Amino acid sequence: MTVLDLAAPAPVRTEVTEATEFRLLGPVVVYDRGTGTRIVPSGPKQRALLATLVAHAGEQLSADRLVEELWGDRPPANVPSALHTHVARLRRLLPPGHEWISTLPTGYLLSLGRASTDVARFTRLSGQGRAAAPQDPRYATRLLDQALALWQGTALQDSCHGPLCTAEADRLEEQRLTALEALYEASLNCGRHAEIVCDLERFTAAHPLRERLYDLLMVALYRCGRQAEALGVYERARRRLVGTLGVEPGPALRCRLEAILNHCPTLTASCPRHSDLAAEVARLQDRIDRLVRDQTDLLRRVREQDAGR
């Protein structure tokens, strides 16, 4: 037997970290897009630890900050050992093939490597949507819809007990609401005012201090020919703001009220832009081409079957 007859050693199997995605926009999970498997930390402290490390990926977090995050002002007597145990368990839980968590002299650091996060995807898509809105509101609505579809519940669900996770969840919720406002504004610019009235009614009830949502609802109702209801929305907003914060509506909402009272021409639905019409024509032409190809293929197969009889 020569060395050429020896079997080659089996390759070491490692996970493709590009397929790994850390998800914080809802329950905290690690998702493998390649296999469709989900890794869910079993306990609230494990979830809080993972969420904290991922939200601050690439940043060293001191042991003291992590202890406060997990136990608040009531840490266990053997807190260094308890924290080390939680980190060790989390290391064993994460996919192999990458050193996710590094131990540093005064704390810990999570490195994403080539993995991704749903937060990064949401930030990218929502930013692109807002940037596209002035020139192409239809395209903007598609991007913003994709961004908001990433949310599977409240951010960092079941993990928001410590100050770091609470602050991150609040930051992400503000970004979600900003993306929603951008989506409804782009929808108005597409002439979809009738479609979004119910959604805006629901969101103004859920977030009664956000003046921008009232503003968008007033425009949508006015464009539906419901001027009296649009004026009623302003009164509802005013009562909420005065009763809760002790302040009158801001200049933007007051200007909107004046515009509705005076039937300002700028309130009417904008016509579709030339670029939007061209894109719609291109999509319809593409569909027609596909239908023609399908029909041609079907006729060819029928002729072949008839010839074979």
Side-chain angles (χ1 to χ4, degrees):
M1 179 181 293
T2 68
V3 292
L4 297 177
D5 298 318
L6 296 175
V12 178
R13 182 180 181 274
T14 58
E15 297 292 329
V16 180
T17 55
E18 291 95 331
T20 302
E21 182 176 70
F22 293 91
R23 295 185 171 179
L24 305 182
L25 302 179
V28 177
V29 300
V30 185
Y31 181 71
D32 187 332
R33 290 195 295 266
T35 62
T37 57
R38 293 159 51 93
I39 299 172
V40 182
S42 58
K45 285 186 170 50
Q46 284 281 291
R47 291 192 293 270
L49 177 60
L50 177 60
T52 304
L53 290 170
V54 172
H56 295 270
E59 174 187 345
Q60 177 181 338
L61 291 175
S62 69
D64 289 342
R65 295 182 75 188
L66 292 173
V67 167
E68 182 184 13
E69 190 69 20
L70 299 185
W71 289 282
D73 57 359
R74 292 187 174 183
N78 58 342
V79 68
S81 176
L83 178 60
H84 176 76
T85 298
H86 277 294
V87 172
R89 287 176 182 169
L90 192 57
R91 281 195 178 108
R92 290 194 296 268
L93 190 66
L94 297 176
H98 177 67
E99 185 180 354
W100 298 105
I101 304 173
S102 301
T103 302
L104 303 175
T106 59
Y108 298 92
L109 178 146
L110 183 138
S111 170
L112 289 174
R114 291 173 291 175
S116 61
T117 68
D118 58 353
V119 172
R121 280 204 292 153
F122 169 76
T123 302
R124 175 175 55 82
L125 287 168
S126 59
Q128 290 173 347
R130 291 195 303 273
Q135 298 300 321
D136 194 344
R138 293 185 189 276
Y139 179 54
T141 59
R142 291 199 296 273
L143 290 171
L144 290 163
D145 273 330
Q146 292 174 28
L148 291 162
L150 295 173
W151 287 72
Q152 301 299 311
T154 57
L156 282 65
Q157 192 170 306
D158 300 329
S159 303
C160 302
H161 300 294
L164 294 176
C165 282
T166 299
E168 180 66 6
D170 290 345
R171 184 186 73 85
L172 292 171
E173 176 63 9
E174 178 61 30
Q175 290 190 358
R176 184 184 75 89
L177 292 173
T178 300
L180 272 171
E181 291 168 349
L183 171 63
Y184 291 128
E185 182 173 10
S187 297
L188 283 173
N189 291 334
C190 293
R192 293 167 52 188
H193 38 273
E195 298 176 32
I196 64 174
V197 166
C198 290
D199 284 346
L200 285 170
E201 288 279 13
R202 187 172 69 254
F203 282 116
T204 53
H207 304 280
L209 301 182
R210 294 188 75 88
E211 292 189 47
R212 182 61 177 145
L213 290 173
Y214 289 116
D215 186 2
L216 295 168
L217 178 56
M218 290 169 68
V219 175
L221 287 169
Y222 181 84
R223 290 182 180 179
C224 290
R226 299 160 63 179
Q227 180 184 5
E229 292 177 67
L231 297 174
V233 168
Y234 178 86
E235 288 303 317
R236 188 169 81 224
R238 182 181 178 279
R239 286 196 302 271
R240 287 281 191 172
L241 293 167
V242 171
T244 304
L245 303 178
V247 297
E248 294 283 340
L253 208 57
R254 293 200 301 271
C255 286
R256 188 69 73 195
L257 173 67
E258 291 296 325
I260 290 174
L261 288 171
N262 295 318
H263 299 280
C264 182
T266 58
L267 288 172
T268 57
S270 57
C271 296
R273 299 175 186 270
H274 176 73
S275 60
D276 295 335
L277 292 173
E280 187 65 25
V281 170
R283 284 193 292 273
L284 290 172
Q285 186 61 54
D286 181 63
R287 179 165 175 76
I288 291 170
D289 292 342
R290 288 200 304 272
L291 290 171
V292 170
R293 288 196 299 270
D294 292 343
Q295 289 292 330
T296 302
D297 290 342
L298 177 62
L299 289 172
R300 177 181 54 78
R301 289 196 297 271
V302 170
R303 292 194 187 103
E304 290 174 352
Q305 292 173 358
D306 290 342
R309 291 175 181 171

